[in-house]
Amino acid sequence: MAVLPPIEFKFPELRRWEQGAAPYVHVLESGKSGPTAMVMALTHGNEVSGAVVVDALLERGLKPRRGALILAFSNIDAFHSFDPAKPFKSRMIDEDINRVWGRLDQPPTTAEMKRALVLRPFVERADLLLDLHSMHDDGVPLMLAGPLDKGVAFAKRVGTPFDIVRDAGHAAGMRMRDYRGFGDTRSAKNSLLIETGQHWRNSSVVVAKDVAARFLAESGVVEAADLPADWRQKTPPSQRVVEVTHAIATKRGNFTPARRFEGQEVIAKAGTVLGHDDGEPVTTPYDDCVLVMPAVNRPLRAGVTVVRLGRLI
């Protein structure tokens, strides 16, 4: 039997935040002109580090100095279904809410589509969006900046974490961070998705607080002094950008890794065997190939992405 990762921090009690502009959505107005910044937590119900951050911002009574601030909990029903004995089951109720944003014009047939329709007007209002996520496996924090230059530039202004991942989205459906203006080169809207580390590590909360504080200060809706002084961590001396070029999916869930891989590991030589899928070798396509969020250290099913391969740019 697989050993479950430890839960290192106390989950927040979120029911006190149900009443807002919509259930679990709070819109804070400054009354002055400026951008609208949005911080979203719980896009997946078991990714709790972001919920700790949004809960703390609401508890602090943070008010924007200009523009508006939207603080929201996305898949709240999935979060409330959390069972420590089966902690990965509460990722969603019916489907991944971060794959439905390209089909919101269709009749809502799942809990996630219905919730996305509630969230949609607030997401559409946002000029700047920070989507707080975490990872199934232990790994270094990653900023998923999307496919556009503006996302990478915004990630560099935020200044952390070390790794910025430039990717074209997910084949299974549109993510919130790519919705409408966020994914349009002609729009000034911008969004970032942070993967803070393993779901229930204390270190993931530290990363989520740091990135949220930087995002909010960079947005201009608040000033750095308005945020908890201990949230901001040391800025890395540099950042690197990894462009995803391949997404390797297992055909039938039979992928066998050559060894245990670490996230953001750089494989020096092209042609290095990463493993075998249905007996066929999977190899690196070029030198200095970066393994982005490998999923080869846990059970797989047909069609699951085993690893994304990236090039340093």
Side-chain angles (χ1 to χ4, degrees), residues 36 39 59 75 85 87 93 119 131 134 160 189 246 253 269 286 293-294:
T36 296
V39 181
E59 175 68 27
N75 202 338
I93 299 297
L119 297 171
D131 192 14
S134 54
T160 197
K189 289 176 178 282
H246 298 71
K269 296 297 182 182
Y286 39 76
M293 294 179 67

Side-chain angles (χ1 to χ4, degrees), residues 57 60 62-63 65-66 213-214 216-218 221-232:
L57 292 173
R60 187 179 181 85
L62 182 66
K63 301 294 185 183
R65 291 176 180 259
R66 57 195 65 85
R214 291 167 180 267
L216 289 170
E218 177 63 30
V221 301
V222 301
E223 296 181 4
D226 300 329
L227 300 159
D230 61 348
W231 280 21
R232 186 88 172 231

Side-chain angles (χ1 to χ4, degrees), residues 96 98-103 168-176 178:
D96 190 334
N98 215 28
R99 305 289 182 267
V100 307
W101 291 88
R103 49 187 171 90
H170 204 287
M174 182 182 289
R175 302 172 300 189
M176 180 177 61
D178 301 314

Side-chain angles (χ1 to χ4, degrees), residues 120-141:
R120 179 169 64 176
F122 304 99
V123 174
E124 290 179 348
R125 179 181 173 183
D127 298 302
L128 300 169
L129 168 70
L130 176 65
D131 192 14
L132 294 162
H133 288 245
S134 54
M135 303 171 178
H136 183 288
D137 299 310
D138 280 306
V140 298

Side-chain angles (χ1 to χ4, degrees), residues 156-169:
K156 289 180 177 179
R157 293 198 301 273
V158 170
T160 197
F162 173 64
D163 275 305
I164 300 169
V165 176
R166 182 172 182 150
D167 65 318

Side-chain angles (χ1 to χ4, degrees), residues 12 32 34 36 41-42 44 51 57 76 87 113 136 172 224 231 240 243 247 258 273 288 291 308:
K32 299 179 181 179
T36 296
L42 295 178
H44 300 118
L57 292 173
I76 190 68
M113 285 192 72
H136 183 288
W231 280 21
R240 67 177 182 181
E243 183 172 31
V273 175
D288 296 326
L291 307 186
R308 293 169 180 83

Side-chain angles (χ1 to χ4, degrees), residues 4 28 45 56 69 117 133 136 138 162 183 199 227 247 260 290 313:
L4 295 175
L28 309 171
L69 174 61
L117 288 172
H133 288 245
H136 183 288
D138 280 306
F162 173 64
H199 297 324
L227 300 159
R260 182 179 178 88
V290 183
I313 61 174

